Amino acid sequence: MPTSTTLTSPVLSEWLNGYDNHSSVFASPACSIMAQGQVLQLRASNTDRQLAVKAQQLLDRAKAENLPGFIMGVLPFNTNKPAHLFVPRSLDIQARLQPAATPSAPTTYTRANLTAHPRAQEYEQLVSAAVPVLDGTPLSKIVLARTIDVQLERPLARRQLLENLIRLNPHGYSFGINLQDDSNDNACFFGASPELLVRRTGAEVSINPLAGTAARVANAADDLHVGQALLASEKDRHEHAIVIDTVVQALAPYCAELHVPDGPELAKTATLWHLSTSIRGILKAPYASSLELALAMHPTPAVCGAPTLHARDFIEGSEPFEREYFAGAAGWCDANGDGEWAVAIRCGKYERQQIRLYAGAGIVSASDPKNERQETGNKLRTMLNALSIDPDLIEQGIHQ
């Protein structure tokens, strides 16, 4: 990929002029990528830890066919299920996007039908049933999610959604990945994640796990108090520490150096406070690719729980829906192994005028079911706002 010094910083709305139904987008603080078409595709699981090997074979084939040395796509929550990776026909890679002086006029969905699954009370019951088993024998944390299905009155306004996601998430990782490559109203997976799973640039590697969340409020003084209370919360710091310990153990074998702060700091989005730890490392030679590193850490306890396999089994036996790509990862990897992968949260899957939105909360022994349900509602607001759903419909949907 070109270095940041060779990239320009286009205005968001102008950059999106190149977007159509064949486009897939990934925008981060480091770069903005628009891929056109999907000439070569890889739909394979990570069974026997072979997905990174198959991805490299796809990159080798792309080189032989004079295609971009670049793969993009999404990983599922359960890597025993197929990922969707592809080599595009062409690429536009730029620096971080600049917001437009005047955002595009929104198209508000006033007649969208929202259906929660499980409903609010059922989700609290799900959390209540989970808390007693979180005593460390073996489970110490699980992440339980719920969904809202949004039936739209007309096809998705994709470009508007992407503009909203990127504008509302300027310091995060916004994506819209096509799951099909055609000119119709094709299926896609989109999101505005605040969480970096991994970034690799040469020998340097960065990860930024988030765990521990509180809703922001309008009053500045009260909002700061909310953030400081989160930073001091024993329950949330415990949840965060579980995540950090696990990702460090997974990343350490690949690194000659690994720098881990003593404790978390606060990070914020437009609607939420998070506990955040930025970890930096220097890779051992030969350097693992960004995709290989992502697969080594995924799924982290931030989206699954600990220990990972026990938590995943509990989730899949408890949640009344299939996660698919939710709590997976979205991103890219080039022929040099550099790339970025974001944790697939604050996201949704679109198909045939229906969107399934997802939100989860980390559950530990000190969790309160009502608070966890409220947390998932606050997270769902991120995507519902970006979709320009009528505010009254949003409130009805998240409190069902």
Side-chain angles (χ1 to χ4, degrees), residues 10-17 97-100 162-163 166-167:
V11 173
L12 169 59
S13 56
E14 295 176 0
W15 186 68
L16 285 172
N17 285 336
L97 297 165
Q98 302 176 46
L162 285 168
E163 183 173 343
I166 297 168
R167 180 173 54 83

Side-chain angles (χ1 to χ4, degrees), residues 49 76-80 134 138-143 197 242-250 294-317 323 327:
R49 299 184 180 274
F77 167 67
N78 185 339
T79 54
N80 291 326
L134 298 173
L139 285 169
S140 58
K141 175 186 175 179
I142 55 172
V143 177
L197 178 60
I242 292 171
V243 175
I244 300 305
D245 289 347
T246 303
V247 297
V248 167
Q249 288 176 21
L295 290 166
M297 290 186 289
H298 171 69
T300 75
V303 294
C304 181
T308 301
L309 293 181
H310 289 284
R312 191 187 71 191
D313 289 346
F314 188 97
I315 289 166
E316 294 189 333
R323 285 195 175 189

Side-chain angles (χ1 to χ4, degrees), residues 43 58 63 117 121 175 216 223 227 254 293 322 395:
R43 296 179 183 270
L58 196 72
K63 180 179 179 181
H117 190 59
Q121 184 176 1
F175 52 88
R216 301 187 64 193
D223 188 48
Y254 297 92
L293 294 168
E322 172 65 51
E395 293 308 307

Side-chain angles (χ1 to χ4, degrees), residues 51-108:
L51 184 58
V53 174
K54 293 176 182 178
Q56 184 57 54
Q57 292 170 347
L58 196 72
L59 286 168
D60 293 341
R61 181 181 167 190
K63 180 179 179 181
E65 297 183 17
N66 293 317
L67 294 169
F70 187 95
I71 57 172
M72 192 176 196
V74 286
L75 308 177
F77 167 67
N78 185 339
T79 54
N80 291 326
K81 307 290 178 65
H84 176 67
L85 303 174
F86 62 89
V87 173
R89 180 181 68 255
S90 62
L91 283 170
D92 177 19
I93 303 178
Q94 304 292 345
R96 180 175 171 177
L97 297 165
Q98 302 176 46
T102 304
S104 300
T107 300
T108 302

